[in-house]
């Protein structure tokens, strides 16, 4: 594959990057730590929303200067995001009142009313930071960027020649803040509604056997939400994770059903050989709340990055031996 950056005798990974606004800085930290490991290569990345921003930043940086370039460009992208202030201020006047104002009034106003100029600093950031033409010509690994088609709710994956600035904007388009992104006559919203992240392209269109899902919200909550805000935050999380959870559970269930069978189709052999891994923040981000995902102040992003690096280090210490040999995650009993 042209531009493939896998080193000899390295173990290729398939990465699935979840989106979650400012919490994507947690994924930045995880990737920063993984990129220190020269034993691991990457065949393909499936990403959604802020995960898509991480994916194209990592790919662009790798083209420029390998692993070190990928790490450096991720840091530059998130530094620039931090310089923009909170996501609530993107396109809004300073006197608007920030996150509290936005979360209240976004329930009653359209993007055209909240953001009449249609400003989106992410568009400018991508213009100045990512060479999409070069990325399409010589990708270091395959990219699959998820967006939700508004007219029918379908998951659409942008890859290959369709990896564009508009595809990233569509993947990260929160409809409460920004108008839908139009691509080839169709309107798109945030990919999290349809796949956060999407596993299908990594399962059916790749050859590597180790699939690592990097999440920004825990799979389980130990505490029942009680306040109105906690209930609303949890309901939104479920909205953005249900499709992924069903896809993950279906994959694990099918693996259990075909385990030990000898007469398998090529797809069956692929499913049987796939090794599943999952890295999540656990309770560390469980109580942050929905408003924290709009908080892109530099100190917050650096803290999230540090948390991601620490979590990735812990995960590697516990699961390094599983990579290349067995799944480190399995479907919980019951």
């Amino acid at each position: 594959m042209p531009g493939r950056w896998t080193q000899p005798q390295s173990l290729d990974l398939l990465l699935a990057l979840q989106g979650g606004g400012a919490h994507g800085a947690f994924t930045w930290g995880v990737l920063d730590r993984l990129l220190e490991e020269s034993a691991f290569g990457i065949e393909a990345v499936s990403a959604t929303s802020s995960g898509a921003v991480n994916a194209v930043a990592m790919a662009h940086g790798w083209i420029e200067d390998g692993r070190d370039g990928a790490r450096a460009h991720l840091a530059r992208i998130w530094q620039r995001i931090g310089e923009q202030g909170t996501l609530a201020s993107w396109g809004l006047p300073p006197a608007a009142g920030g996150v509290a104002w936005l979360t209240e009034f976004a329930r009653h106003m359209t993007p055209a009313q909240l953001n009449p100029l249609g400003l989106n600093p992410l568009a400018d950031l991508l213009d100045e930071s990512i060479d999409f033409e070069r990325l399409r010509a010589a990708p270091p690994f395959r990219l699959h960027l998820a967006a939700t088609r508004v007219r029918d709710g379908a998951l659409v994956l942008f890859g290959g020649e369709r990896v564009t600035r508009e595809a990233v904007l569509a993947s990260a388009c929160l409809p409460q803040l920004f108008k839908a992104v139009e691509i080839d006559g169709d309107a798109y919203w945030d990919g999290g509604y349809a796949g956060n992240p999407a596993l299908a392209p990594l399962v059916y269109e790749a050859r590597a056997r180790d699939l690592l899902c990097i999440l920004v919200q825990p799979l389980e909550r130990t505490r029942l939400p009680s306040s109105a805000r906690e209930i609303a935050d949890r309901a939104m999380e479920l909205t953005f994770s249900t499709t992924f959870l069903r896809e993950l559970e279906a994959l694990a269930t099918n693996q259990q059903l075909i385990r030990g069978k000898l007469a398998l189709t090529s797809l069956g052999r692929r499913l049987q050989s796939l090794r599943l891994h999952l890295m999540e923040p656990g309770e560390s981000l469980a109580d942050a709340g929905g408003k924290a995902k709009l908080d892109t102040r530099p100190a917050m992003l650096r803290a999230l990055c540090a948390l991601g690096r620490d979590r990735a280090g812990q995960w590697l210490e516990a699961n390094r031996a599983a990579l290349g040999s067995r799944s480190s995650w399995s479907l919980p009993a019951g």
Side-chain angles (χ1 to χ4, degrees):
M1 173 181 173
R4 181 114 175 240
W5 57 266
T6 306
Q7 294 186 356
Q9 299 182 341
S10 67
L11 174 69
D12 275 356
L13 300 177
L14 304 169
L15 299 181
L17 309 183
Q18 192 175 62
H23 286 181
F26 172 86
T27 302
W28 162 33
V30 170
L31 295 173
D32 187 69
R33 178 64 184 85
L34 289 178
L35 287 166
E36 293 179 345
E37 300 285 332
S38 60
F40 303 137
I42 300 174
E43 180 186 346
V45 180
S46 177
T48 299
S49 196
S50 59
V53 175
N54 278 320
V56 297
M58 181 169 62
H60 175 98
W62 192 275
I63 292 173
E64 290 190 327
D65 191 24
R67 295 175 185 275
D68 291 339
R71 295 180 64 202
H73 206 63
L74 279 164
R76 283 196 294 269
I77 285 281
W78 283 99
Q79 179 181 349
R80 290 287 292 113
I81 291 174
E83 291 170 358
Q84 301 287 347
T86 66
L87 288 179
S89 67
W90 287 21
L92 302 176
V99 174
W101 185 92
L102 178 73
T103 53
E104 176 62 29
F105 283 89
R107 304 174 187 176
H108 311 289
M109 302 172 71
T110 67
Q113 294 169 316
L114 278 172
N115 184 7
L117 297 179
L119 301 178
N120 188 340
L122 179 57
D124 296 332
L125 176 63
L126 294 173
D127 283 339
E128 67 186 44
S129 304
I130 307 296
D131 186 342
F132 284 98
E133 184 175 349
R134 189 178 179 190
L135 197 56
R136 290 190 296 271
F141 40 79
R142 287 196 294 278
L143 291 169
H144 306 279
L145 311 179
T148 304
R149 193 164 57 202
V150 179
R151 63 180 168 86
D152 59 1
L155 169 69
V156 176
L157 294 167
F158 294 93
E161 290 299 313
R162 303 188 77 194
V163 174
T164 62
R165 181 190 81 154
E166 286 68 31
V168 179
L169 292 175
S171 185
C173 179
L174 291 173
Q176 299 88 350
L177 288 178
F178 307 110
K179 68 176 183 179
V181 176
E182 186 171 316
I183 301 175
D184 297 331
D186 271 312
Y188 294 92
W189 281 344
D190 194 293
Y193 294 108
N196 192 23
L199 300 183
L202 304 180
V203 174
Y204 304 118
E205 300 176 27
R207 291 178 295 179
R209 298 179 179 183
D210 286 86
L211 195 168
L212 173 58
C213 302
I214 301 174
L215 310 185
V216 298
Q217 62 187 45
L219 281 181
E220 297 183 3
R221 300 283 193 174
T222 58
R223 185 171 64 84
L224 183 69
S226 56
S227 70
R229 172 53 58 190
E230 289 174 342
I231 292 170
D233 287 344
R234 183 58 176 154
M236 182 58 69
E237 282 186 350
L238 293 175
T239 298
F240 278 95
S241 64
T242 298
T243 302
F244 162 73
L245 292 175
R246 287 178 178 171
E247 192 175 13
L248 183 65
E249 290 172 359
L251 178 58
T253 298
N254 286 331
Q255 285 189 313
Q256 291 177 351
L257 291 174
I258 64 175
R259 184 171 297 152
K261 295 185 180 296
L262 299 178
L264 293 173
T265 64
S266 58
L267 175 58
R269 290 191 295 273
R270 168 65 178 164
L271 291 177
Q272 192 176 64
S273 67
L274 199 64
R275 298 181 284 264
L276 300 180
H277 311 282
L278 191 146
M279 191 185 305
E280 58 171 324
E283 293 296 324
S284 54
L285 291 183
D287 298 322
K291 289 192 291 186
K293 294 179 181 179
L294 299 175
D295 189 349
T296 56
R297 291 174 298 177
M300 176 63 72
L301 298 181
R302 288 193 297 270
L304 287 167
C305 177
L307 179 63
R309 279 189 55 85
D310 182 63
R311 185 72 182 97
Q314 294 174 7
W315 188 91
L316 285 169
E317 184 175 351
N319 298 287
R320 186 186 298 272
L323 291 168
S325 62
R326 57 180 172 79
S327 293
S328 63
W329 180 88
S330 59
L331 192 65

